[in-house]
Amino acid sequence: MNIDLKKISILSVGLVVIVVLWILLGRLGLTTKEISPRLVSENVSEITSSENGVSAYTSNNNLHLLLNSGEEKIVNNFTLFGLGLSQSGSYLSASDGDSCQIISASSAEVVRLEERCSSVMWASDNGYYFFRDNGDSSEDTVDAYGEPSDSEDSYLFFTNLQDNKTSSLLEVSIDNQVSIDWTTKKMLIASYLQDASTLCSIDESNYTVIKDCLEIDGVATAIKQADKTTFLELNKSSNAFLAKIDNGNIKMLGASTDIEKTNSTKGALFIFDESSPNKTSFLSLNADGKKAPKTNITGKRFHGVKKVVKVNESKFLVLAENGLWEVEL
Amino acid sequence: MILEKLRNNPRLTIQLFAVAIVLLVFSTVLNSNKNNSGTDTFSGQKNITLKVPKAVPDSLIISTSPIFDLTYSVDGELLTIKPISLLKHQSEYVINVKYRDANGQDLEASTGFLYEESGKVADLLESNSIHGSVFDFSAENRYTFLAYVTIPDTNEEDVRKEAEDILRSYGIDPNSVELKIEYSRSARGDGVEDPFSPVL
């Protein structure tokens, strides 16, 4: 038998080097990054963040405003819920169940009170969005064409803080779910009955506000952005699936979880794997689907993740069953 | 230089080649053990697999009961599901998958499994509670443990130390889990007044 020893030698050395390096790197922990989360507070009810590092949370009837300067403001006896921050973090929106309030983040004072406001609302740097069960027929209310509105139906309204004009944007039925995302400047209107959704751009310089709508097949209820990629939560059979918009088409990403439990970094969406016995792994989902875990979270750890908000490109606040945690990825 | 040595020593070359093959087989076996599943009971990080012949990946609708978060991938005919949220010890889970195949047919597949924790933590989860000197100790899940203090005037630090010793005796690092200490009404001293106490 004619054996080419030179080829076998090269192959053997190559294989041995690869396997030994693989084992060594694994042993030395060089293939994973170990990080420890920091407990910010226990008994946190809600958390929200803006696009430029301002975040807010409620804990034991106190509102904590974490400004991007590093300063923390505490407002005592704060019993409102449904927290939301505007794009720059200038305004905070919250509700007491009957009325909605717009609060200045710098002074912590209520700058606008909206009576008969149902469900959630969104603060914007230019105004605020709110639902109202009964139509507002006041002269300041205009419809999508700038005409006075006399509708008696449930509508989503936008009030411009500069001129105090309120526009009725769209009729909302009981099977609809509306969400607004400031990273993408998009509004999602999902219809459970029609098993379809509409994704629209937001332009607050115009009374119509909503423009350039894209029809989506499926119930899309939330949206997140990583670099130039738009990720969606699609609801099917009571489960939430992660997907991305790829040239107007929906591409499934291989994960079923609430998008609130995810966030984005380095161009990909990430979720925390809480199933491993002694660690919380970090899974990233990019355009090609699932990637292997690369970050392990060690030491005192969070579990039962409810929401992940971004403070900056590498720092995140994780609201979990056992408190609010800060994680630097 | 190494190549020259190996060329002059065919025996060493063959030995190295054999070592490489053994290491490769070893790593492959380790990897397949890590990803293999399909059994009725599983614990830890194992995955669940289901056959979905010719499935169009974007048509997959996976529903679980009770609901848990998961990641999934399709490789050939095999759908691999990995739970990413904490499952409940000794609970039965059912997974239903609806999908469309390459021929346009709507098909379904389903499977179920019993989830069980592995290791000593399973003993803690299965026992209702362990009696400490002044508290009852129990596991809520793999990460959360409760010391329920029943005796008044008990120092919290003493309870914590004893509870941490219990955790260590089960091979659990107290620094990697959550230990909750709760006091009963009587231990807090705001229980119902003793009806037989004399009225002054």
Side-chain angles (χ1 to χ4, degrees), chain A residues 138-166:
Chain A
S138 72
E139 285 179 8
D140 283 339
T141 302
V142 291
D143 63 18
Y145 302 99
E147 298 295 325
S149 167
D150 57 359
S151 170
E152 292 291 319
D153 295 321
S154 174
Y155 266 79
L156 174 68
F157 293 93
F158 172 69
T159 296
N160 190 310
L161 280 174
Q162 269 76 50
D163 59 12
N164 283 326
K165 289 279 185 191
T166 298

Side-chain angles (χ1 to χ4, degrees), chain A residues 125-264:
Chain A
D125 286 343
N126 303 311
Y128 56 94
Y129 298 78
F130 64 98
F131 294 101
R132 184 166 284 168
D133 288 336
N134 300 310
D136 187 338
S137 57
S138 72
E139 285 179 8
D140 283 339
T141 302
V142 291
D143 63 18
Y145 302 99
E147 298 295 325
S149 167
D150 57 359
S151 170
E152 292 291 319
D153 295 321
S154 174
Y155 266 79
L156 174 68
F157 293 93
F158 172 69
T159 296
N160 190 310
L161 280 174
Q162 269 76 50
D163 59 12
N164 283 326
K165 289 279 185 191
T166 298
S167 321
S168 56
L169 304 184
L170 58 101
E171 190 175 359
V172 184
S173 63
I174 194 111
D175 79 298
N176 284 145
Q177 186 177 325
V178 179
S179 50
I180 290 176
D181 176 70
W182 291 129
T183 329
T184 49
K185 287 188 183 163
K186 300 275 188 191
M187 181 184 289
L188 253 181
I189 306 126
S191 169
Y192 284 90
L193 273 179
Q194 293 170 9
D195 197 22
S197 313
T198 311
L199 180 66
C200 303
S201 297
I202 292 173
D203 176 12
E204 291 171 351
S205 64
N206 196 304
Y207 279 126
T208 52
V209 179
I210 300 168
K211 65 174 191 179
D212 302 334
C213 293
L214 170 74
E215 297 299 322
I216 292 170
D217 186 18
V219 182
T221 50
I223 183 170
K224 262 185 186 162
Q225 182 90 356
D227 287 346
K228 290 171 186 169
T229 311
T230 304
F231 295 95
L232 291 174
E233 178 184 310
L234 277 178
N235 282 268
K236 292 178 177 179
S237 297
S238 306
N239 286 39
F241 290 88
L242 297 178
K244 70 162 203 155
I245 299 178
D246 190 8
N247 290 326
N249 297 315
I250 303 297
K251 183 176 166 56
M252 302 300 280
L253 279 171
S256 171
T257 186
D258 180 351
I259 208 168
E260 290 280 292
K261 297 178 184 177
T262 75
N263 218 298
S264 60

Side-chain angles (χ1 to χ4, degrees), chain B residues 9 19-20 30 32-33 35 38 44 48-49 76 139 141 143 157 191:
Chain B
N9 194 346
V19 167
L30 271 181
S32 71
N33 276 346
N35 294 323
I48 304 120
T49 52
N141 58 51
Y143 303 122
E157 266 315 294

Side-chain angles (χ1 to χ4, degrees), chain B residues 117-129:
Chain B
E117 295 287 357
S118 56
K120 284 186 172 179
V121 73
D123 300 338
L124 262 174
L125 285 160
E126 282 162 31
S127 64
N128 286 332
S129 68

